[in-house]
Amino acid sequence: MEKTINLFLFANHQRLKMTKSISISFIVRIILLVALTASFVQFEAFYEQKDSIRNIAYGLNTFLTASVLISIGHFILVKLYNSRNEHQVVRGNFVLGITRVATVGNVFFIIVSVMIAVGINPKDFITSMTIVAMAIAVIFREYITNMISGLIIMFSDQFSVGDRIKIGEYQGKIVDITLANLVVRDEDDDAVMIPNNLVFTATLVNKTSQKSNKIVVKFELPVDHAVAVEELEQYFKPLFQNNPNLDHGQGFSVKIADLAKDFVKYKVEVSTISSSNRIHQQVQSKILNEVLQFKGRLS
């Protein structure tokens, strides 16, 4: 509980710092925009004589105007979303998605502003680059589809940052969702980058949203050392009877999940007293430890 409170306070502190830095940046952009707009009136003759400086000023004005409008739109959308869901448990994907879209918008207008600053008409440039743009779209198709998939993920409510997921052979906690990848921190504390496209082509399990108290633990035994289900149930019985984290009223079961040429795969099904990830991990660790001891007895 103390750890959760500390994490909550740290998150709030970081969010306040970020909000303060964004507010200062917004105020600076407003001041620069007002000063630059006023200069167009006060120094009109100067700008007419200096084409290069005028282009740079127009480019900067374009970026500042777009950036301020994007910031205002971002602020309004986030405020409306938070006020609408003030008394509900919500996921942070929507805010993350809006922030990513705002970032993409700022990058786009930076490029447009640079074109204006160097004397290139963005409309004419885009028209003349249509064929090249199509070729670029084909070359970077995977990245573009990853970006689209990333935006779909951000605006969905199927999972969010902080959820524990399993996708393909990877599993762990989502620490970030970018326009290219899903960043997952696995059990070895390694950062695994999973392409966003994989979310829509592979089976994904959200373990955090799963409210079931049931645990299924699978393990294998060599065919030469395979034993009957009844024998395994008798072996595990003391563990299940003495474990305070288990719901003894639901009982437990040991089943054969698969039979191959070289091994027999078993699965143990138990029910815990809650759906807490911590309790699930403790129970799973106990069962696997008993399996290791059982294998040691057989060898």
Side-chain angles (χ1 to χ4, degrees):
M1 183 67 180
E2 182 180 354
K3 182 178 180 182
T4 303
I5 294 173
N6 289 336
L7 288 174
F8 176 76
L9 292 175
F10 176 75
N12 277 340
H13 177 66
Q14 293 296 104
R15 185 163 60 249
L16 288 172
K17 284 177 62 179
M18 184 177 296
T19 302
K20 184 178 179 181
S21 63
I22 291 174
S23 300
I24 295 173
S25 172
F26 180 75
I27 293 171
V28 170
R29 280 177 285 163
I30 288 287
I31 294 173
L32 287 175
L33 179 60
V34 171
L36 192 59
T37 303
S39 73
F40 289 144
V41 178
Q42 295 293 328
F43 305 103
E44 183 178 0
F46 173 77
Y47 282 126
E48 288 179 355
Q49 296 174 1
K50 304 290 184 179
D51 290 341
S52 59
I53 296 178
R54 181 184 60 195
N55 290 338
I56 293 173
Y58 282 164
L60 183 59
N61 181 72
T62 300
F63 167 71
L64 289 173
T65 303
S67 179
V68 167
L69 291 176
I70 289 172
S71 296
I72 293 173
H74 177 272
F75 176 79
I76 292 173
L77 287 173
V78 172
K79 274 292 183 183
L80 288 174
Y81 178 76
N82 288 337
S83 62
R84 182 181 177 184
N85 300 278
E86 185 176 1
H87 303 294
Q88 301 178 23
V89 178
V90 296
R91 311 173 86 76
N93 286 18
F94 180 84
V95 177
L96 181 61
I98 290 296
T99 303
R100 300 296 190 198
V101 171
T103 302
V104 172
N106 281 321
V107 171
F108 172 78
F109 280 104
I110 286 175
I111 296 173
V112 171
S113 300
V114 170
M115 290 182 185
I116 295 174
V118 297
I120 299 174
N121 188 318
K123 184 178 179 180
D124 295 339
F125 179 81
I126 292 173
T127 303
S128 63
M129 292 292 290
T130 302
I131 298 177
V132 177
M134 292 177 62
I136 292 173
V138 172
I139 295 172
F140 295 99
R141 181 181 58 184
E142 291 296 328
Y143 187 77
I144 293 172
T145 55
N146 256 337
M147 286 182 60
I148 296 173
S149 298
L151 289 174
I152 294 174
I153 292 170
M154 291 174 196
F155 288 109
S156 72
D157 59 355
Q158 297 177 352
F159 54 85
S160 181
V161 173
D163 286 356
R164 301 192 67 84
I165 66 167
K166 180 179 181 182
I167 177 169
E169 61 184 49
Y170 308 107
Q171 61 179 340
K173 181 180 180 181
I174 301 176
V175 295
D176 195 12
I177 302 175
T178 70
L179 291 174
N181 302 298
L182 211 64
V183 184
V184 175
R185 185 76 62 181
D186 64 12
E187 295 178 355
D188 297 326
D189 205 31
D190 295 326
V192 181
M193 310 294 180
I194 301 175
N196 291 326
N197 285 340
L198 192 60
V199 174
F200 299 98
T201 58
T203 302
L204 186 146
V205 179
N206 189 344
K207 296 185 176 182
T208 299
S209 64
Q210 182 182 7
K211 299 302 180 183
S212 174
N213 293 356
K214 184 179 178 181
I215 299 179
V216 178
V217 181
K218 296 181 179 180
F219 63 93
E220 299 173 358
L221 291 177
V223 172
D224 297 340
H225 295 89
V227 296
V229 168
E230 293 77 10
E231 184 177 345
L232 283 173
E233 287 181 344
Q234 289 298 321
Y235 178 78
F236 286 124
K237 193 172 182 179
L239 169 66
F240 297 140
Q241 289 179 339
N242 299 324
N243 195 317
N245 292 325
L246 295 180
D247 184 355
H248 302 295
Q250 297 295 326
F252 72 95
S253 65
V254 181
K255 300 177 181 178
I256 295 178
D258 191 16
L259 181 61
K261 179 181 178 181
D262 300 322
F263 65 88
V264 178
K265 182 178 288 186
Y266 299 88
K267 66 176 181 179
V268 179
E269 297 180 358
V270 294
S271 295
T272 59
I273 57 176
S274 81
S275 59
S276 166
N277 287 331
R278 181 179 59 84
I279 290 180
H280 281 200
Q281 291 171 1
Q282 289 177 354
V283 172
Q284 184 175 1
S285 178
K286 288 281 187 181
I287 294 174
L288 292 177
N289 186 57
E290 289 294 324
V291 170
L292 288 175
Q293 293 184 22
F294 185 79
K295 285 184 176 182
R297 289 174 52 184
L298 295 176
S299 59

